[in-house]
Amino acid sequence: MATINQLANHYPRRRKKTKVRSTALEKSPQKKGIVNKVVERKPKKPNSAKRKVAKVKLSSGRSINVHIPGEGHNLQPHSIVLVRGGRANDLPGVKYRIIRGKYDCDPVSGRKSSPSKYGVKTKN
């Protein structure tokens, strides 16, 4: 709550602007892009694995590094993918993820837990 002096003053309290982390998406939730290159990267210090990362050229013309979530993938250069925000915590500079099960990216096969995040259709 503002004090009397602050209310009498001509400079009211202002809301702090929230910082957008996924700048390449340009205020849209997803963007379409074309894969230029698929590489394996090592994560930061306490973790060890080979994370799959793709270099994607978005429809807006920007090139970004994108994490490919889940086990296995069928991506190769010239594949069309849908990109969303969400960083890979242990990969520096990777602030985006590929949406599985959309365009050329196949869903994760044999996925049982949290299938909706990996493009797996639920059986009725």
Side-chain angles (χ1 to χ4, degrees), residues 4 20 37 70:
I4 300 290
V20 178
K37 190 185 202 180

Side-chain angles (χ1 to χ4, degrees), residues 43-48 90:
K44 277 199 305 194
K45 196 59 188 263
N47 297 340
S48 71
D90 54 8

Side-chain angles (χ1 to χ4, degrees), residues 83-102:
V83 175
R84 68 175 174 90
R87 70 191 190 109
N89 289 357
D90 54 8
L91 291 172
V94 179
K95 295 190 255 177
Y96 308 91
R97 286 173 195 262
I98 283 175
I99 296 178
R100 301 285 306 242
K102 195 76 180 158

Side-chain angles (χ1 to χ4, degrees), residues 33-111:
I34 299 169
V35 176
N36 284 346
K37 190 185 202 180
V38 180
V39 291
E40 285 182 343
R41 259 216 223 154
K42 287 192 213 161
K44 277 199 305 194
K45 196 59 188 263
N47 297 340
S48 71
K50 285 183 180 171
R51 305 267 187 256
K52 279 61 177 179
V53 175
K55 192 164 177 130
V56 174
K57 186 169 187 185
L58 296 177
S59 55
S60 59
R62 286 183 70 165
S63 267
I64 55 170
N65 290 324
V66 184
H67 181 248
I68 307 167
E71 292 178 11
H73 66 86
N74 66 322
L75 293 179
Q76 52 193 7
H78 307 296
S79 297
I80 295 170
V81 292
L82 191 65
V83 175
R84 68 175 174 90
R87 70 191 190 109
N89 289 357
D90 54 8
L91 291 172
V94 179
K95 295 190 255 177
Y96 308 91
R97 286 173 195 262
I98 283 175
I99 296 178
R100 301 285 306 242
K102 195 76 180 158
Y103 301 130
D104 293 343
C105 189
D106 286 346
V108 178
S109 58
R111 180 85 191 185

